[in-house]
């Protein structure tokens, strides 16, 4: 037990670090060693949620009127604080979530970069002027903040996802209620702490932790909440979206069942690389992670052989103790879900490798599952249709491009999709034919730029507003059109 294990982290409401109304806390567990407590966090309920919304509403008028250069300066300072602390924040991220240290550090630095990006972009994000027939009249649109914005984030990118929501919300003059996932709340706490230390006035950013069942409704259905930016599962997103009021905007970034198509002309070594990196980085727990491999029947045996050889060499372990290809799954619930899909896969399809729970020396108290591969999978099977969110890949044989596209699009989801081909014709057709918000040609389904739009199609998103990039600012502003004469 170290100091962190015993520390109780507080909510931040109206400028004060406070305990929740009930006084209850819950442990944040290390998925590599479930006996390791990574801090205790407040079990907030509706009372705390309502206080956070009220504090954000009270702080809004003054923050809206704060000069944008001052708002930007706070984001720049917070970015610097995060960079200065990158090593320790990355270690905590690995300890609470399980991803490798290098990935964790990249995520922290990316979050700092996101704060800077929006500090700059927000300062030139304006309306338009419109030509008209009346020489005495000027017509223009102006963008204004919405008010209180609720930010709800998942555990798999526990600092970069909140950063890409909170930064555009703040720079455009909104105030925020932020609830991180209870399964990795410390990284979100560090982000909030950096922003608060950088000089945010009281009430501008409110941080509450706790179970969605207790605090969720208060921060999503209150009339003062003008927008909700949520990333998480499709079921939770749909519930929040339906419960939101008429004047509450929603941006829901949800699940995926992302395909990688391997055409007969593809460089197979490269295609295997895309499958392994896309499918198993973050132990298969990226929303854009590859889960279906749609491989042309002509190259399926060769591709499968190469993939099996690569998978046999993958290493798995505690990210704090070494540089491993895979870490543990992030929670006990994830472990159970993934193991149940592996059991199902063994009934539905042909199991080729992996899928074992590791419990030998060093693994006893961690949620480790070896990367799994199934073949003879068809689009009708549940392992090809449902989001597993673990290190499980399904091989589906296809005959040519048209069948591959039909299979790829035969899903309720549309988050990311990739194709491996050397034929430029198919690369262009793919970008047009595929139903996915992120399209990759000879690149992994995972990964997206800070400065480019990000979001899904179909049930992977509400498709209302895109996140990320300059376009990510739109969600946090409303437009007024002004006609001014004389
Ligand atoms: P989750 O839906 O269980 O939880 C996400 C967040 O929502 C958590 O903070 C949770 O406490 C909160 N929440 C859940 N129900 C709520 C409710 N009714 N009211 C208010 N808050 C509520 O998801 P998770 O297990 O944390 O994350 C994994 C999921 O996230 C996967 O489905 C994955 O695909 C998705 N994801 C999507 C993206 C994307 O950009 N599309 C990115 C990362 C993860």
């Amino acid at each position: 037990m170290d100091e962190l294990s015993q520390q109780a982290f507080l909510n931040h409401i109206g400028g004060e670090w406070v305990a929740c109304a009930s006084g209850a806390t819950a442990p944040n567990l290390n998925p590599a060693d479930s006996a390791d407590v990574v801090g205790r966090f407040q079990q907030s309920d509706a009372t705390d949620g309502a206080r956070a919304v009220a504090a954000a509403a009270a702080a809004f008028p003054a923050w809206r009127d704060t000069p944008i250069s001052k708002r930007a300066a706070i984001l720049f300072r917070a970015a610097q604080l995060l960079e200065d602390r990158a090593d320790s924040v990355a270690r905590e991220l690995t300890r609470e979530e399980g991803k490798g240290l290098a990935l964790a550090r990249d995520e922290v630095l990316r979050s700092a970069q996101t704060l800077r990006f929006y500090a700059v972009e927000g300062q030139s994000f304006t309306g338009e002027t419109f030509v008209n027939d009346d020489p005495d009249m000027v017509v223009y649109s102006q963008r204004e903040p919405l008010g209180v914005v609720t930010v709800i984030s998942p555990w798999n990118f526990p600092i970069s996802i909140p950063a890409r929501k909170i930064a555009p919300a703040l720079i455009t003059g909104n105030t925020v209620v932020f609830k991180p996932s209870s399964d990795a709340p410390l990284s979100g706490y560090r982000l909030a702490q950096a922003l608060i230390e950088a000089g945010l006035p009281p009430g501008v950013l409110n941080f509450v932790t706790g179970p969605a069942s207790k605090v969720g409704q208060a921060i999503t259905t209150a009339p003062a909440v003008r927008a909700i930016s949520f990333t998480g599962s499709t079921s939770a997103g749909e519930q929040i979206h339906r419960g939101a009021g008429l004047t509450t905007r929603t941006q829901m970034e949800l699940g995926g069942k992302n395909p990688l198509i391997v055409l007969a002309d593809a460089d197979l070594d490269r295609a295997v690389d895309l499958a392994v990196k896309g499918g198993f980085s973050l132990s298969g727990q990226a929303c854009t992670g590859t889960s279906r491999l749609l491989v042309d029947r002509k190259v399926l045996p060769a591709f499968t052989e190469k993939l099996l050889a690569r998978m046999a060499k993958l290493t798995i372990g505690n990210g704090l103790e070494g540089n491993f290809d895979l870490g543990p799954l992030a929670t006990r619930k994830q472990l159970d879900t993934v193991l149940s899909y592996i059991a199902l896969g063994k009934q539905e399809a042909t199991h080729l490798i992996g899928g074992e729970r590791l419990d030998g020396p060093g693994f006893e108290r961690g949620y480790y599952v070896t990367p799994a591969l199934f073949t003879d999978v068809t689009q009708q099977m549940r392992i090809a249709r449902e989001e597993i969110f673990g290190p499980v890949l399904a091989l589906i044989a296809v005959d040519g491009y048209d069948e591959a596209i039909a299979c790829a699009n035969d899903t309720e989801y549309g988050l990311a999709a990739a194709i491996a081909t050397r034929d430029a014709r198919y690369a262009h057709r793919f970008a047009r034919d595929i139903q996915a918000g992120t399209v990759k040609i000879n690149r992994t389904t995972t990964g997206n730029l800070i400065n480019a739009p990000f979001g899904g199609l179909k049930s992977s998103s509400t498709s209302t507003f895109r996140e990320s990039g300059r376009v990510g600012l739109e969600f946090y502003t409303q437009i007024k059109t002004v006609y001014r004469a004389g």
Side-chain angles (χ1 to χ4, degrees), residues 152-156 161 164 179-181 212 216 220 230-233 236 239-240 253-256 287 387 389 415 454 460:
I152 300 177
S153 55
W155 45 261
N156 65 340
I161 288 180
R164 79 170 180 231
K179 192 200 88 58
S181 165
T220 54
F230 168 90
T231 298
S233 59
Q239 197 188 344
I240 295 169
E253 291 309 330
L254 310 169
C287 54
E387 186 183 48
F389 223 55
L415 191 53
F454 175 73
S460 291

Side-chain angles (χ1 to χ4, degrees), residues 260-346:
L260 164 65
I261 294 176
V262 180
L263 294 186
D265 69 278
D267 173 338
L268 288 191
D269 290 313
R270 194 165 172 199
V272 165
D273 203 44
L274 300 181
V276 168
K277 286 193 182 132
F280 301 132
S281 65
L282 256 69
S283 303
Q285 301 171 114
C287 54
T288 50
T290 305
S291 69
R292 293 180 293 148
L293 300 171
L294 309 176
V295 184
D296 193 291
R297 208 178 287 280
K298 294 190 217 54
V299 293
L300 183 62
F303 178 84
T304 307
E305 193 181 321
K306 284 173 184 284
L307 179 57
L308 282 169
R310 273 290 298 279
M311 286 178 65
K313 290 195 198 123
L314 292 174
T315 57
I316 182 164
N318 182 342
L320 289 177
E321 290 169 2
N323 188 11
F324 298 101
D325 296 310
L326 288 90
L329 296 171
T331 63
R332 173 82 222 187
K333 187 165 159 253
Q334 277 292 111
L335 175 73
D336 293 342
T337 305
V338 169
L339 288 175
S340 74
Y341 275 109
I342 287 166
L344 177 68
K346 286 178 178 171

Side-chain angles (χ1 to χ4, degrees), residues 11-16 48-49 51-57 59 148-149 151 166 170 175-180 192 196 200-208:
N11 286 338
H12 189 82
I13 298 179
E16 314 256 340
D48 308 290
R51 282 183 189 153
V53 172
V148 178
V149 172
V151 166
I166 292 172
L170 292 178
T175 53
V176 173
V177 173
F178 167 33
K179 192 200 88 58
I196 289 156
L200 280 182
V204 171
L205 174 62
N206 303 277
F207 174 84
V208 285

Side-chain angles (χ1 to χ4, degrees), residues 45-110:
D45 59 22
T47 307
D48 308 290
R51 282 183 189 153
V53 172
F60 175 60
W63 183 243
R64 178 191 54 201
D65 293 341
T66 300
I68 191 158
S69 58
K70 290 201 170 147
R71 297 201 295 257
I74 294 172
L75 295 188
F76 282 125
R77 275 198 294 277
Q80 191 59 52
L81 289 172
L82 277 184
E83 274 179 4
D84 293 347
R85 299 166 185 173
D87 287 338
S88 68
V89 177
R91 283 191 77 75
E92 289 174 349
L93 199 167
T94 295
R95 188 166 155 191
E96 72 170 348
E97 199 270 346
K99 73 178 62 167
L101 259 184
L103 290 175
R105 197 162 189 284
D106 280 354
E107 189 180 334
V108 176
L109 296 179
R110 179 186 173 87

